[in-house]
Amino acid sequence: MSLPHAILTALVEKPSSGLELTRRFDKSIGYFWSATHQQIYRELGKLEAEGFIRTLPSEQPARGQKKSYEVLPAGRAELARWTAASQDPRPHRDTLLLRMRAAAVVGTEGIEDDLRRHLALHRRQLAEYEEIEKRDFPPGKDSSQDRLRHLVLQAGIDLETFWTQWLTRALEEFAELPGHETA
Amino acid sequence: MSLPHAILTALVEKPSSGLELTRRFDKSIGYFWSATHQQIYRELGKLEAEGFIRTLPSEQPARGQKKSYEVLPAGRAELARWTAASQDPRPHRDTLLLRMRAAAVVGTEGIEDDLRRHLALHRRQLAEYEEIEKRDFPPGKDSSQDRLRHLVLQAGIDLETFWTQWLTRALEEFAELPGHETA
DNA sequence: CCAGGTTGTGCAACTAGTTGCATAAATGTC
DNA sequence: GACATTTATGCAACTAGTTGCACAACCTGG
């Protein structure tokens, strides 16, 4: 299971409260491991109970009161252990490909608009990644940390590039299908 | 939710028993929507209760006795409805990218072997897809159905190609990192 | 000074997916 | 014909993730 480790990583990078983590999961970390605020609060509770993190001393705990966490040595050790441990790739699920396959047997009626919508979303995401690359990884920034982080971003860029290309191609094929309406 | 629709698609393609479906989910459909046999049996029960599928008449139902299902008109209609309905891409989770990001803060100790292992797995999968392409989509087979199915397979090929290239590049970067052991 | 929005934390219930195990029939084998 | 293996169906319990809602504190304008 990966959510606790995603949180530990985020907290090692910078101690944060639940809401700050939620926001960071909406970008950055969330690009390849999403989580809702409820998952995050629940997990923070568990991680604290296990002695992997603790609340920053300064703040007094009260409901509706900001509560920041930092990673303890045990948490860092657990993160290192998990990172080094061998793991099988998890089976991969993609609704759009499934729908394409269904469309092959029940007809393509209606799916085309959604392909266009997905194409727009992936183009937007790609542009966002390229923006981040320009901002955070100018030439010359190449400490070990920077290189690893750049590699991760590169994976995001390549995946979005794949989707835009594949969707473009799919839409071209659709245009050539018999019975297709040409505007 | 997509599992019932994955099952409907598989059953429209060919009526099957639970175990046959399980086997088909281990390849083909399972390449982009995996499921265990327990998920499948549970879902078959629900789909039957909802009137989307029925057991093939000939067979008598008994535990340990093969029981095949076919799709009813209502099931086909539901599949068509679902296929055409607009859906947001589901957030995407990747443990390996998460571990790379963790490695940037806790060190790359130990992760390299696993990258190599993943590279081998993705190469194998890519080879398998290319085999299927050669077998099932020789030039000239291009009915609408074939073209759509080929498109789906192409996505699989492109994704595995991406992973092999990205992992190769990641391993090259690792080799250049300071403190890296060169054999 | 209080009504309404924003920020922040959190519980409870639900849906989806996984793991482990039980059971029954058919088939091969000594 | 007893025994092990394979084929096939299925239940129960668990883990992971989502959705809907409640609640407290703070901040801001009339």
Side-chain angles (χ1 to χ4, degrees), chain A residues 98-99 101-103 105-107, chain B residues 2 4-13 52 71 73-85:
Chain A
L98 193 56
R99 283 165 72 201
R101 176 129 178 185
V105 290
V106 298
Chain B
S2 310
H5 302 98
I7 291 176
L8 285 173
T9 304
L11 287 180
V12 169
E13 287 173 357
F52 291 150
V71 177
R76 187 176 265 270
E78 166 57 22
L79 185 57
R81 188 205 59 74
W82 176 82
T83 305

Side-chain angles (χ1 to χ4, degrees), chain A residues 23-126:
Chain A
R23 287 207 233 282
R24 290 171 63 193
F25 269 77
D26 283 341
K27 40 184 175 47
S28 179
I29 297 245
Y31 289 145
F32 45 89
W33 203 275
S34 70
T36 61
H37 79 275
Q38 288 83 352
Q39 275 179 284
I40 290 170
Y41 282 119
R42 225 186 328 180
E43 209 58 49
L44 283 171
K46 282 193 211 164
L47 287 168
E48 191 179 20
E50 289 169 314
F52 291 150
I53 61 174
R54 66 165 178 187
T55 57
L56 284 180
S58 57
E59 341 256 354
Q60 80 283 31
R63 200 189 169 92
Q65 201 75 53
K66 190 163 142 178
K67 200 160 90 179
S68 288
Y69 294 88
E70 66 177 351
V71 177
L72 294 170
R76 185 176 266 271
E78 167 55 25
L79 184 58
R81 187 204 59 72
W82 176 81
T83 304
S86 167
Q87 281 179 49
D88 285 328
R90 44 169 46 221
H92 137 278
R93 294 199 165 101
D94 189 287
T95 318
L96 199 59
L97 292 176
L98 193 56
R99 283 165 72 201
M100 284 294 276
R101 176 129 178 185
V105 290
V106 298
T108 56
E109 200 64 43
I111 201 179
E112 204 175 336
D113 285 346
D114 214 32
L115 293 184
R116 259 188 278 277
R117 199 173 60 89
H118 279 237
L119 178 54
L121 290 171
H122 285 296
R123 282 205 175 120
R124 192 171 318 150
Q125 190 63 58
L126 178 55

